[in-house]
Amino acid sequence: MSSAYYAQDVPDTHRPYVAAPDRHQKLEYRRVGSSGLLLPPLSLGLWYNFGDNRPFDTQREILRRAFDEGITHFDLANNYGPPYGSAEENFGRMMRTDFRPYRDEMVLSTKAGWDMWPGPYGMLGSRKYVLASLEESLRRMCVESVDIFYSHRADEGTPVAETIGALDTAVRQGKALYAGISSYSPERTAEAVAVARELGTPLIIHQPAYSMLNRWPEQGLFDVLRGSGMGSIGFTALAQGLLTDKYLSDDDPERATARPSFDGRVLTAQTRERLHGLGAIAQERGQSLAQMALSWAIRPGGVTSTLIGVSSIAQLEQNLEAAARTDFTDDELARIDELAGHTEEVDLWEESASIG
C-alpha cells in the first residue's frame, strides 16, 4: 500500500483534535514585508523529522502542540522526508484528520527546485517541473492550495522570467496565494522581483540560510529585500546542530554530521572555540546556546521569522521560550559579532545561496 493511499484512505482512530482556545494570544505575529500576511516569529519546518524516519504519532503530537502554542506556519517542500514526498504525505494525513477545521488559520508553504523525480524534468526551475511539482504537493498535502509557493533555489540554466512566470501562474490558478524564493543571491533576487512586479504577482518573501555562523544575507540580500518590500524567513538558525549545547563538549563529532547536507569539515578546533564563547554569552543571558541562536535570528534587524525543526515536545517548548527573548544589549551583539560575525567557512548552504 502506498503512503499516499494510506494518508487519504485509512480511517483514523485517535481522539478528535480540538485546538487550544488561546492559541492566537501566545506569540506576536509579524508582517511579511509590505504584504498583508503575518507570520509567527518561529515557524515549524518539516524538513527532516517528519518523514517516514520518525513515528507518525510523534509527528502528530508535535504539530498539535505547535499549533496550540501559536505556531500557525508549517513549512514543507516536495522533497522533504525521507523519503522524498513523505513529509507532505504525513502532513496531508494530519490535515485530513486533525487540521481541516483550522485550515484558514494556518499558513502552509511548499517549494520546488531540488531533485524530486528521475529524468530531466524533475528538478531546478523549468516551468514544466515547477508547476508539475506543485500539483503533486497539493495532492500529497490534501489541500487545494498553499499559502506560499517557493522557487526553492536559483537555476542558472533557466531564465529567471520562466521560473517566476511559473510562480505567477500558480497564483493566478488559485493554487497558491503568495509567491516566494529561497537561496537566491541578491542580484538574482533583484531580477526576480522586477519580473514578478511586471507580471503582477509580487514576491513577498525570501527564505535564506541565516544564523550567527552564516551571515551571507547581511551582505546585500537584506538590503534588496527591504527595498523591494519583501519579508524573510531563515532556515538552519542552529547551523544544523552546531549552535546547540550538546556539541560544546561532545567528544564524538560524528553525531554532529549525521544529518543530510552537513559538511563535517566545518567542525574545526577554531569553530569549537567560537562555540564555547557563544555558549558563555548564552549562559549569562539565562539561555541555552540554541535558544540564544534563535533569539538572535529573530531579533530586530534579523529575519521576519525563522524555521525550527524539532523531534520532540521538549525541544519545541525550549525553542518557544526563545521567542520571548529577542532583546540583546549592544555589548552582547558586539561580542557575538566578534565571535561569529566573520566565520565564512561555516556556510552549510554556500552553493545554493551563491547560484545566480
Side-chain angles (χ1 to χ4, degrees), residues 30-33 39-41 205 230-234 297-298 302-306:
R30 301 171 166 190
R31 188 168 301 279
V32 180
L39 290 182
I205 194 167
M230 292 178 67
S232 55
I233 178 168
I298 58 175
V303 289
T304 310
S305 179
T306 196

Side-chain angles (χ1 to χ4, degrees), residues 17-26 67-70 102 105:
Y17 168 62
V18 178
D22 61 344
R23 57 191 176 278
H24 299 309
Q25 282 75 55
K26 298 182 178 182
F67 190 66
D68 284 344
E69 294 299 321
Y102 307 103
E105 299 180 27

